[in-house]
Amino acid sequence: MSNRLNIVYLCNDLYAMLVGVSLTSCCENNKDVEDLRFYIINDVGGGKIKEENQRKLQEIAAIYYREICFYETGYLIKKLESKGVSKYKNTYTPYFKLFLGDMLPDEVQSVLYIDADTIVLGNLMEYQELAEQFSENISVIGVKDVAARIAKENYGYSGQQYINTGVLYFRLKQYREHNCEKKIIRYMERNHKSFRFADQDLLNLSISEEIGVVDLKFNFLAFVYELSAKAIY
């Protein structure tokens, strides 16, 4: 497997500082990754990242001899509006991560999406290596989330692999080939409801058969300390 890892952040100007911290932690703990590439989805609908803050993020990456590519969300907003897709709390922002296959170049065939408020404490190649071992029918990989019970009660969710969307590995080759984004949009068009966990509910409800699960250590949330194993699994 190539020693290349693609990292994606979704960010507006308010979250630029958080991304800067997460980006630094990622670079510090992945110095041995030969080809570490960063893609930042610049949320123009939620307050586009100011040029000054874009420059600061690029300066952080340059310290580690890494580069950042910025992609804007304007056309995706228009696309979702044209489909009559309902917004979440008056914005499409939470849903953008589900359309990385459309936003990123075709040559990018896998990415690790990381929420802006996430601190990276280890080498991420292990995550990629595990994710790529799944069968060809799996397109997106994450860790289990306890919200599965709520999804079952509120939306009749019947899947087995309800995952958290704060850290996600997208096998974009499969994601595109399996038309996952079309399935998601189709589900959004047919279900004009307000999801409690926005993109998380939408991902798990619309393409449950495409989901794979890895160990909690790859997206460890503080509240897990308060739960029993039964509550999680």
Side-chain angles (χ1 to χ4, degrees):
M1 179 179 292
S2 171
N3 191 22
R4 171 176 172 174
L5 182 61
N6 302 309
I7 305 292
V8 173
Y9 289 102
L10 170 61
C11 184
N12 59 29
D13 200 60
L14 291 174
Y15 282 82
M17 182 179 70
L18 292 176
V19 168
V21 174
S22 184
L23 178 68
T24 301
S25 70
C26 185
C27 288
E28 275 291 328
N29 290 293
N30 289 272
K31 291 178 180 177
D32 60 339
V33 178
E34 181 180 338
D35 191 359
L36 183 62
R37 305 188 187 190
F38 292 96
Y39 301 87
I40 293 182
I41 307 304
N42 192 353
D43 180 12
V44 299
K48 183 178 178 180
I49 308 171
K50 295 176 183 175
E51 288 187 11
E52 177 186 3
N53 287 331
Q54 289 189 44
R55 186 176 67 254
K56 288 179 179 178
L57 291 171
Q58 289 172 326
E59 288 172 352
I60 292 172
I63 293 172
Y64 301 93
Y65 304 99
R66 311 298 189 181
E67 295 182 354
I68 298 174
C69 292
F70 291 89
Y71 291 86
E72 296 189 353
T73 59
Y75 85 95
L76 183 56
I77 292 173
K78 292 179 180 179
K79 181 177 180 178
L80 294 175
E81 287 177 339
S82 70
K83 297 286 186 178
V85 171
S86 299
K87 294 181 178 180
Y88 176 78
K89 295 184 178 180
N90 204 38
T91 181
Y92 289 122
T93 296
Y95 301 132
F96 292 150
K97 69 183 72 169
L98 305 182
F99 298 95
L100 296 177
D102 190 7
M103 284 189 280
L104 298 176
D106 289 343
E107 67 182 50
V108 180
Q109 298 198 356
S110 65
V111 297
L112 181 60
Y113 167 84
I114 302 176
D115 265 356
D117 59 352
T118 305
I119 298 296
V120 178
L121 298 176
N123 188 297
L124 295 172
M125 288 301 294
E126 181 185 359
Y127 195 162
Q128 174 163 279
E129 289 166 2
L130 285 173
E132 292 298 343
Q133 290 176 17
F134 280 87
S135 61
E136 285 295 310
N137 64 305
I138 299 300
S139 299
V140 57
I141 296 97
V143 308
K144 280 195 172 184
D145 192 284
V146 295
R149 176 181 56 80
I150 298 172
K152 289 177 181 178
E153 293 173 355
N154 292 351
Y155 315 117
Y157 172 74
S158 58
Q160 300 298 316
Q161 311 285 30
Y162 187 98
I163 59 175
N164 183 281
T165 53
V167 178
L168 292 170
Y169 188 88
F170 288 90
R171 302 169 82 188
L172 289 182
K173 180 177 181 293
Q174 288 86 346
Y175 201 71
R176 292 172 177 129
E177 289 176 351
H178 301 172
N179 295 311
C180 289
E181 293 175 13
K182 289 183 179 179
K183 293 176 183 178
I184 290 169
I185 287 181
R186 196 177 306 128
Y187 191 92
M188 295 172 86
E189 289 175 322
R190 295 174 179 173
N191 296 274
H192 296 279
K193 61 181 71 172
S194 178
F195 298 109
R196 181 170 178 179
F197 298 110
D199 54 297
Q200 187 164 291
D201 284 333
L202 181 58
L203 177 73
N204 285 283
L205 290 166
S206 61
I207 57 168
S208 60
E209 72 283 357
E210 301 277 346
I211 290 173
V213 172
V214 289
D215 192 275
L216 284 172
K217 72 177 183 179
F218 292 108
N219 180 13
F220 199 84
L221 305 173
F223 71 80
V224 171
Y225 283 114
E226 303 173 6
L227 302 173
S228 67
K230 183 178 180 181
I232 299 171
Y233 296 106

